[in-house]
């Protein structure tokens, strides 16, 4: 295994120091000269980022993304682990499919791909999938989600929450009361009224979160809320946490940065579910992330083939790329607050997903899964230059702070000089 | 002006120019030779993704009176129905070198999307529940010819505002022209977010009618009942339909408008629709003049 000496690196913004990468671990520099020396002057080392919400599209839509291309995008974004959502084709609702995705991730070897299992068979919201079998599989699934759809039936949601207690699982809910969002296209408010697009009311998210935290409390289980998008949801979560409910929540970079005003061009690159909200929602989400009411930043990286985005707004599929821009956007939102960034993008998501090898600060004695960031660099997002197979980034042409220079996964470089090593 | 996608594309001068040009076009229509050579050699495509014979014929007549070549491209039975995307259709139109596209589409914003891919002028002939700017222009034209000036005119727009592209375009255009708009309907059919519109909202038609110069009845689709927007057609008519009793609440000079196609007995009583105060037939005739004006102003200067 190649050894690396990383010189003059600032770990989480601390005084510059040297680190040795050997045998998958980080060490105080000592012994024989390293194979490769990296001058990290001016660079910040962060624990490898962990994404709780990634759509890798394989199996089923390999024209939009594969486990390998998505893994490469993730590594370039500073990630060392991603949780792959279950809405593939076939759906990841059996031990067979989650093991397939897990092995594809291992084969790509760029990040750890942790499959998320479906809660219900075929994401149909009717019968529980074999959650136990997925938990016991080689993929060791602990997080279950019907993402893309909400587990709408309250009885089924209650049972799922109860059932996963047996193996320390967590249900990650895409909170959307679908009776309130039939045909919905954009946030319901000033923009939907003006654009004549069916509204997706904030209450459709807030009502499900409120119900689910109460169910979680009732059965003593654990809930994770996907892509929280409204100020009202933040208040529901604040209340639940104050009561001691075992709930965590994530927010996407796009909900931290963009608003529903983006819809006014009808360019479907701005179509996402839940939809972009208003500036006051953005402000509330930023404050909640800083405060910790929202625990993690998760990308909801959702690649789509060109034909699914170059069309009428109502026909377009919802979703945006996120892996290669998430860190920069979080830096833009939080500033160079490395402690909070590490907490929200690595340590906490690793804990939520049960990824014990991840989320450790890049210091001697810890696994060498980390990323080096140039905080002074600024870059302009060029969709064509992204590693993802798809091009549906809403940030095209935007100048963002921070650039990932290198990423290491268990001591192996997955990114060097800003380029993927494989 | 390159495209007409929204009534908001027109400022006061531009809107007034359209209406004045429409007046000239109407005068021309009463002559023996109804054709103008203005758009000779220009090609206009009518791209209709929704069945709307009325609107298509209105645009076709307008374009032909200006001597344009007209191609009717109906989504029914064409490559579109077989799954051709809007983008592929746009690329075909682009290759044909057309000068203008009149598009009617069930998806809000489709004309905006099309305008990214086609060099010619795009004229929105109704997109989903978004806008229908030429309808608003012909409504304004009708009000102006019946009632004189538009500034200060009190207009009530009644019915399914939420799903109405006619209402959206009318609110924008009438405000530009200085009229005062009141939207009337059950709260379920008034959009969340309406507070940003330059209009007032009322749920009580009887109280609005006495202070109204023009009342515009919107079509209400019966299938809305299944979605709990209102309990029954009968209750809707009772609360928001324009019948003889309500017509008597209007001032003497007030006119009654409907963009059509109307559901007699639902939003408007048959005898009201056929009364002399109704401008419904006139609106159709004015539609051709206004669409001639729009085509002329969009394509004539090239
Ligand atoms: Zn989701």
């Amino acid at each position: 295994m190649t050894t690396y000496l990383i010189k003059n690196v600032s770990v989480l913004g601390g005084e510059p120091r040297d680190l040795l990468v050997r045998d998958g671990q980080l060490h105080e520099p000592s012994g024989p000269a390293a194979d490769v020396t990296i001058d990290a002057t001016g660079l910040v080392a962060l624990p490898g980022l962990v994404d709780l919400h990634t759509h890798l599209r394989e199996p089923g839509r390999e024209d939009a993304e594969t486990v390998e291309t998505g893994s490469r995008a993730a590594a370039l974004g500073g990630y060392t682990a991603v949780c792959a959502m279950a809405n593939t084709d076939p759906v990841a609702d059996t031990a067979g499919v989650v093991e397939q995705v897990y092995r594809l991730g291992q084969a790509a070897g760029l990040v750890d791909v942790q499959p998320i299992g479906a809660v219900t068979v075929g994401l149909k919201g009717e019968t529980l999938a074999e959650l136990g079998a997925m938990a016991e599989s080689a993929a060791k699934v602990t997080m279950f989600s019907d993402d893309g759809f909400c587990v709408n039936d309250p009885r089924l949601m209650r049972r799922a929450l109860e059932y996963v207690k047996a193996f320390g699982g967590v249900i990650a809910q895409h909170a959307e009361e679908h009776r309130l969002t039939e045909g919905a296209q954009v946030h319901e408010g000033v923009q939907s009224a003006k654009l004549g697009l069916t509204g997706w009311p904030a209450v459709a998210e807030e009502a499900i979160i409120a119900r689910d935290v109460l169910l979680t409390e009732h059965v003593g289980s654990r809930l994770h809320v996907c892509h929280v998008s409204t100020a009202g949801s933040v208040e529901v979560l604040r209340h639940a946490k104050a009561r001691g409910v075992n709930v965590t929540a994530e927010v996407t970079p796009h909900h931290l940065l963009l608003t529903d005003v983006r819809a006014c061009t009808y360019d479907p690159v701005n179509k996402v579910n839940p939809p972009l909200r208003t500036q006051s929602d953005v402000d509330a989400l930023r404050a909640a992330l800083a405060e910790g009411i929202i625990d993690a930043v998760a990308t909801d990286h959702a690649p789509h083939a060109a034909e699914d985005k170059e069309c009428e707004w109502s026909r377009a599929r919802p979703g945006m790329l996120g892996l290669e821009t998430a860190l920069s956007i979080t830096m833009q939102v939080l500033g160079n607050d490395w402690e909070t960034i590490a907490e929200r993008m690595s340590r906490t998501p690793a804990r939520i997903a049960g990824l014990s090898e991840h989320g450790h600060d890049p210091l001697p004695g810890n696994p060498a899964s980390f990323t080096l960031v140039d905080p002074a660099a600024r870059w302009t997002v060029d969709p064509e230059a992204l590693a993802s197979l798809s091009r549906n980034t809403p940030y095209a042409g935007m100048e963002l702070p921070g650039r990932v220079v290198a990423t290491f996964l268990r001591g192996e470089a997955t990114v060097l000089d800003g380029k993927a090593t494989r | 002006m390159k495209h007409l996608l929204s009534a908001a594309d027109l400022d006061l001068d531009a809107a007034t120019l359209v209406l004045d040009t429409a007046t000239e076009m109407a005068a021309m229509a009463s002559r023996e030779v109804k054709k103008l050579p203005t758009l000779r050699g220009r090609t206009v495509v009518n791209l209709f993704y929704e069945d709307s014979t009325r609107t298509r014929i209105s645009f076709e007549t307008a374009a032909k009176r200006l001597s344009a070549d007209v191609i009717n491209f109906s989504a029914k039975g064409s490559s579109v129905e077989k799954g051709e995307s809007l983008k592929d259709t746009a690329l075909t139109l682009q290759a044909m070198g057309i000068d203008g596209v009149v598009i009617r589409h069930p998806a809000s914003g489709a004309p905006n999307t099309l305008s990214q891919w086609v060099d010619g002028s795009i004229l929105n002939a109704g997109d989903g529940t978004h806008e229908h700017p030429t309808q608003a222009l012909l409504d304004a034209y009708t009000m102006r010819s019946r009632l004189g000036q538009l500034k200060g005119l009190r207009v009530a727009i009644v019915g399914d505002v939420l799903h109405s592209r006619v209402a959206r375009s009318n609110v924008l255009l009438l405000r530009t022209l200085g009229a005062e708009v009141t939207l009337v309907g059950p709260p379920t059919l008034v959009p969340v977010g309406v507070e940003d519109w330059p209009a007032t909202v009322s749920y009580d038609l009887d109280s609005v009618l006495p202070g109204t110069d023009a009342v515009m009845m919107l079509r209400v689709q019966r299938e809305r009942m299944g979605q709990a927007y209102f309990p029954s057609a009968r209750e809707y008519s009772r609360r928001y339909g324009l019948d003889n009793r309500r017509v008597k609440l209007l001032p003497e000079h007030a006119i009654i408008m409907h963009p059509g196609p109307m559901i007699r007995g639902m939003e408007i009583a048959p005898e009201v629709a056929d009364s002399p105060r109704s401008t419904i037939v006139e609106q159709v005739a004015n539609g051709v003049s206004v669409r001639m004006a729009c085509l002329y102003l969009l394509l004539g200067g090239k």
Side-chain angles (χ1 to χ4, degrees):
Chain A
M1 225 175 157
T2 312
T3 55
Y4 296 88
L5 177 64
I6 301 181
K7 289 191 72 76
N8 274 325
V9 67
S10 160
V11 177
L12 292 152
E15 285 304 307
R17 55 168 298 158
D18 297 351
L19 286 169
L20 182 69
V21 180
R22 191 180 63 215
D23 299 329
Q25 294 282 120
L26 284 162
H27 303 268
E28 294 288 354
S30 66
D35 302 327
V36 178
T37 299
I38 295 174
D39 177 9
T41 308
L43 304 186
V44 172
L46 296 174
L49 308 182
V50 176
D51 191 18
L52 288 169
H53 195 141
T54 314
H55 296 276
L56 292 176
R57 301 293 184 225
E58 187 178 4
R61 281 307 296 263
E62 290 83 353
D63 59 324
E65 195 80 287
T66 65
V67 170
E68 185 187 329
T69 59
S71 293
R72 191 170 295 120
L76 286 163
Y79 287 88
T80 52
V82 300
C83 298
M85 271 299 172
N87 63 339
T88 48
D89 181 17
V91 171
D93 58 0
T94 62
V97 179
V98 293
E99 285 188 349
Q100 181 196 353
V101 172
Y102 176 71
R103 296 211 165 95
L104 285 166
Q106 297 249 299
L110 287 153
V111 290
D112 284 345
V113 174
Q114 173 57 55
I116 293 173
V119 178
T120 67
V121 175
L123 310 175
K124 286 195 165 64
E126 290 163 2
T127 48
L128 282 185
E130 289 194 347
L131 310 181
M134 289 188 270
E136 288 163 15
S137 73
K140 295 193 182 69
V141 177
T142 57
M143 190 179 252
F144 299 89
S145 181
D146 274 2
D147 184 60
F149 302 95
C150 179
V151 181
N152 222 79
D153 178 345
R155 188 179 66 172
L156 198 58
M157 185 61 182
R158 175 216 164 127
R159 297 285 185 241
L161 285 164
E162 275 179 314
Y163 193 78
V164 298
K165 285 165 66 179
F167 38 86
V170 55
I171 305 295
Q173 178 73 295
H174 167 121
E176 175 179 358
E177 171 47 79
H178 65 69
R179 292 288 283 160
L180 292 174
T181 61
E182 278 167 31
Q185 300 294 329
V186 291
H187 171 66
E188 186 169 56
V190 166
Q191 294 303 322
S192 63
K194 178 175 142 202
L195 299 171
L197 292 169
T198 306
W200 199 127
V203 65
E205 173 175 306
E206 294 151 6
I208 291 291
I209 299 177
R211 179 200 78 176
D212 286 354
V213 294
L214 295 173
L215 284 173
T216 303
E217 184 175 36
H218 180 62
V219 301
S221 186
R222 218 179 119 212
L223 173 71
H224 177 71
V225 184
C226 297
H227 41 52
V228 169
S229 69
T230 79
S233 296
V234 169
E235 288 318 302
V236 174
L237 288 166
R238 185 190 305 280
H239 178 75
K241 288 189 166 189
R243 286 167 67 99
V245 179
N246 198 350
V247 59
T248 53
E250 69 188 34
V251 63
T252 69
H254 47 270
H255 288 113
L256 289 170
L257 192 69
L258 309 176
T259 69
D260 61 343
V261 174
R262 279 278 189 132
C264 71
T265 61
Y266 293 96
D267 182 346
V269 80
N270 298 300
K271 179 172 171 174
V272 65
N273 189 20
L276 300 177
R277 305 286 184 183
T278 66
Q279 189 60 49
S280 58
D281 293 304
V282 167
D283 295 342
L285 293 170
R286 289 180 177 197
L289 182 68
E291 189 187 341
I293 296 295
I294 291 175
D295 305 83
V297 173
T299 66
D300 196 4
H301 178 83
H304 285 299
E307 67 269 23
D308 292 325
K309 281 294 191 183
E310 290 182 353
C311 58
E312 300 87 330
W313 179 284
S314 56
R315 225 175 228 250
R317 304 189 62 164
M320 302 172 165
L321 299 183
L323 287 168
E324 293 172 76
T325 44
L327 177 60
S328 290
I329 288 165
T330 307
M331 286 171 64
Q332 174 129 324
V333 168
L334 292 176
N336 294 357
D337 176 355
W338 306 114
E339 183 55 34
T340 307
I341 288 173
E343 194 62 37
R344 304 285 184 264
M345 296 190 81
S346 176
R347 296 179 201 136
T348 304
R351 204 178 63 241
I352 291 169
L355 298 171
S356 55
E357 286 187 35
H358 294 271
H360 301 287
D361 289 351
L363 290 169
N366 281 338
S369 295
F370 64 98
T371 188
L372 299 178
V373 185
D374 180 355
R378 294 188 70 84
W379 62 294
T380 302
V381 182
D382 172 9
E384 297 303 320
L386 298 176
S388 175
L389 272 188
S390 295
R391 297 285 167 262
N392 55 306
T393 173
Y395 311 111
M398 208 180 261
E399 198 192 83
L400 296 173
R403 187 92 235 216
V404 170
V405 174
T407 306
F408 287 81
L409 174 64
R410 278 185 293 278
E412 292 213 54
T414 55
V415 173
L416 281 176
D417 295 327
K419 292 183 186 62
T421 56
R422 52 202 286 193
Chain B
M1 192 170 59
K2 171 83 194 280
H3 306 299
L4 181 57
L5 303 175
S6 159
D9 295 344
L10 302 165
D11 61 14
L12 178 59
D13 286 348
T16 307
L17 179 61
V18 173
L19 299 182
D20 292 346
T21 307
T23 306
E24 290 170 32
M25 297 293 175
M28 203 267 309
S30 59
R31 292 203 307 253
E32 207 168 306
V33 181
K34 292 186 173 165
K35 271 193 142 181
L36 279 178
T38 324
L39 296 186
R40 183 161 292 148
R42 300 275 154 78
T43 306
V44 176
V45 173
N46 281 330
L47 186 59
F48 274 57
Y49 288 81
E50 272 181 355
D51 278 332
S52 176
T53 314
R54 300 156 44 98
T55 308
R56 185 180 55 72
I57 288 175
S58 181
F59 271 106
E60 189 174 346
T61 308
K64 284 185 170 163
R65 283 195 186 159
L66 294 168
S67 305
D69 296 323
V70 179
I71 300 172
N72 283 314
F73 194 107
S74 155
K76 281 262 151 59
S78 72
S79 48
V80 171
E81 201 165 56
K82 294 180 188 104
E84 183 174 274
S85 70
L86 182 63
K87 182 163 193 192
D88 286 330
T89 304
L91 296 178
T92 306
L93 297 178
Q94 178 67 5
M96 286 161 57
I98 48 89
D99 299 289
V101 182
V102 175
I103 177 173
R104 160 67 65 98
H105 200 289
S108 299
N112 303 60
T113 306
L114 184 67
S115 71
Q116 321 269 304
W117 299 320
V118 175
D119 287 334
S121 291
I122 309 294
L123 207 159
N124 181 2
D127 62 327
T129 53
H130 177 221
E131 284 209 43
H132 193 356
T134 60
Q135 178 70 42
L137 284 161
L138 78 87
D139 290 338
Y141 181 90
T142 305
M143 286 181 240
R144 194 172 79 163
S145 50
R146 278 279 195 123
L147 299 166
Q149 64 165 1
L150 290 155
K151 192 164 168 43
L153 205 69
R154 299 162 302 173
V155 182
I157 301 177
V158 184
D160 184 356
V161 176
L162 176 62
H163 300 99
S164 176
R165 51 196 176 205
V166 175
R168 281 179 180 74
S169 286
N170 261 297
V171 165
L172 293 167
L173 184 70
L174 286 169
R175 169 46 60 108
T176 301
L177 293 166
E180 291 165 21
V181 179
T182 304
L183 301 166
V184 187
T188 45
L189 291 176
V190 176
V192 168
V194 77
E195 59 274 11
D196 252 43
W197 293 14
T200 50
V201 175
S202 169
Y203 307 133
D204 178 17
L205 183 53
D206 286 359
S207 69
V208 170
L209 291 174
T212 296
D213 303 309
V215 57
M216 188 181 296
M217 304 306 295
L218 301 172
R219 185 160 66 118
V220 176
Q221 294 177 319
R222 285 176 193 275
E223 55 262 36
R224 303 287 175 221
M225 273 183 286
Q227 298 155 19
Y229 286 107
F230 50 88
S232 68
R234 207 172 48 187
E235 174 156 326
Y236 181 86
S237 301
R238 212 164 43 227
R239 294 180 66 85
Y240 297 102
L242 193 60
D243 56 13
N244 270 325
R245 178 188 71 78
R246 287 212 167 96
V247 168
K248 294 197 184 85
L249 299 175
L250 284 165
E252 206 66 35
H253 66 273
I255 59 170
I256 296 162
M257 311 178 73
H258 194 299
M262 61 187 154
I263 308 176
R264 289 168 181 260
M266 176 85 166
E267 68 262 11
I268 192 162
E271 59 274 22
V272 173
D274 297 332
S275 77
R277 314 174 80 169
S278 155
T279 62
I280 295 168
V281 177
E282 233 168 293
Q283 284 171 268
V284 176
N286 293 341
V288 174
S289 307
V290 162
R291 287 168 181 136
M292 285 174 79
C294 291
L295 288 168
Y296 171 75
L297 294 169
L298 283 174
L299 304 175
K302 279 190 187 171

